[in-house]
């Protein structure tokens, strides 16, 4: 059965490859890009897609507008993500940039968009090195480390997925480690290509395979794998949700 799917960050890399795979399989796919130029690139790269929505995930106002106008989908894949630079940077909203794009924006879209049947959150194997420092989520106190901040953001992404899975029992919610993939973020030396990285999120978004119709799991290569223990800690989950709700002014809806 054909499904409708929305993918964030689908102008290139794993997001574009995921979108292309879903279009080839006959699904209705809506792309996302952060600006009009990137939107044109996305549409050219995935010509069978059913349009592209524009929204800057480093802006609360832009993300809020995207979430309020996107409409309903059978599945939403939160693929967009960034890595950090040598110095701590804040967005125009005063939020540390990695935490904003990788954690706060997927939270805000999740809270605002009509609840889909499936949610997929892209993370990384580096989540295992994350440190859940809940009183300093944005590196306002700790010395900045781009590598550690990125690992932390991927851990929080898994915790977000698990928190939503726990609260929204009627939705299949999972997180994915796509592997080390040769993209702009992964670099040319990565051993896997974008199509390999896209396989598991695409499968989770639409497959009728019983192995894909589960919730609250962390997947790699279509198999559930162990996540950082903190991701399953309900105290970590609830404090993360509370922090995101405070930053955005939008609580996660109660089912």
């Amino acid at each position: 059965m054909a499904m409708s799917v929305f993918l964030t960050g689908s102008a290139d890399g794993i997001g574009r490859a995921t979108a292309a795979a879903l279009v080839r399989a006959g699904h209705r796919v809506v792309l996302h890009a952060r600006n009009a130029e990137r939107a044109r690139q996305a549409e050219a790269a995935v010509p069978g897609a059913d349009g592209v929505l524009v929204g800057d995930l480093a802006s609360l106002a832009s993300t809020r507008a995207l979430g309020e106008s996107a409409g309903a989908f059978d599945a939403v894949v939160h693929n967009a993500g960034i890595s950090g630079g040598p110095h701590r940077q804040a967005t125009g909203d005063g939020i540390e940039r990695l935490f904003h794009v990788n954690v706060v924006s997927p939270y805000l879209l999740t809270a605002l968009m009509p609840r889909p049947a499936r949610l997929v959150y892209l993370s990384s194997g580096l989540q295992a090195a994350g440190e859940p420092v809940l009183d300093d989520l944005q590196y306002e106190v700790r010395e900045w480390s781009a590598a550690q901040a990125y690992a932390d953001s991927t851990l929080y992404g898994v915790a977000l997925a698990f928190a939503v899975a726990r609260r929204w029992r009627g939705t299949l919610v999972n997180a994915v480690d796509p592997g080390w993939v040769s993209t702009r973020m992964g670099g040319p030396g990565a051993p896997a290509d974008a199509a390999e990285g896209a396989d598991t999120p695409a499968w989770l978004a639409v497959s009728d395979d019983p192995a894909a119709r589960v919730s609250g799991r962390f997947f790699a290569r279509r198999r559930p794998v162990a996540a950082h223990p903190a991701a399953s800690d309900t105290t970590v989950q609830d404090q993360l949700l509370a922090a995101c709700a405070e930053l955005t002014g939008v609580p996660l809806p109660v089912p």
Side-chain angles (χ1 to χ4, degrees):
M1 180 181 70
M3 296 177 64
S4 60
V5 185
F6 175 59
L7 296 100
T8 67
S10 40
D12 61 14
I14 294 172
R16 178 197 291 177
T18 304
L22 292 170
V23 168
R24 287 194 300 270
H27 299 283
R28 173 181 170 261
V29 177
V30 174
L31 309 173
H32 159 261
R34 66 175 177 267
N35 56 43
E37 179 181 356
R38 297 280 285 174
R40 288 190 291 271
Q41 295 172 2
E43 286 188 301
V46 191
D50 196 35
V52 56
L53 300 178
V54 175
D56 183 358
L57 300 185
S59 161
L60 288 179
S62 185
T63 305
R64 185 176 291 110
L66 175 63
E68 290 174 342
S69 64
F73 294 88
D74 296 315
V76 176
V77 180
H78 292 285
N79 166 83
I82 61 171
S83 56
H87 306 289
R88 182 187 184 278
Q89 291 183 301
T91 64
D93 296 293
I95 303 171
E96 189 279 309
R97 189 173 180 83
L98 272 175
F99 186 68
H100 190 155
V101 175
N102 294 357
V103 185
V104 175
S105 286
Y107 164 86
L108 184 55
L109 288 177
T110 299
L112 290 175
M113 292 179 67
R115 185 155 55 118
R118 304 190 194 197
L119 279 164
V120 181
Y121 296 83
L122 270 287
S123 179
S124 164
L126 292 174
Q127 59 86 39
E131 297 176 355
V133 183
L134 296 170
D135 59 354
D136 191 26
L137 290 167
Q138 300 185 51
Y139 279 81
E140 296 172 293
V141 177
R142 288 173 290 166
E143 182 178 355
W144 175 254
S145 164
Q148 188 60 56
Y150 177 74
D152 294 351
S153 75
T154 61
L155 166 58
Y156 297 139
V158 181
L160 172 61
F162 287 4
V164 177
R166 178 167 61 92
R167 295 195 175 199
W168 289 2
R169 297 292 186 180
T171 297
L172 303 180
V173 189
N174 295 288
V176 176
D177 169 15
W180 184 16
V181 176
S182 180
T183 61
R184 288 197 306 162
M185 185 184 298
D193 62 20
E196 292 176 84
D199 178 69
T200 299
W203 174 71
L204 284 170
V206 300
S207 177
D208 287 329
D209 184 342
R213 296 186 59 81
V214 297
S215 192
R217 308 286 179 85
F218 183 48
F219 280 87
R221 296 183 179 274
R222 298 195 181 191
R223 295 189 178 188
V225 295
H228 191 303
S232 299
D233 186 323
T234 57
T235 299
V236 171
Q237 294 174 10
D238 290 345
Q239 290 189 31
L240 179 63
L241 291 179
C244 290
E246 182 177 0
L247 287 168
T248 62
V250 181
L252 186 72
V254 176

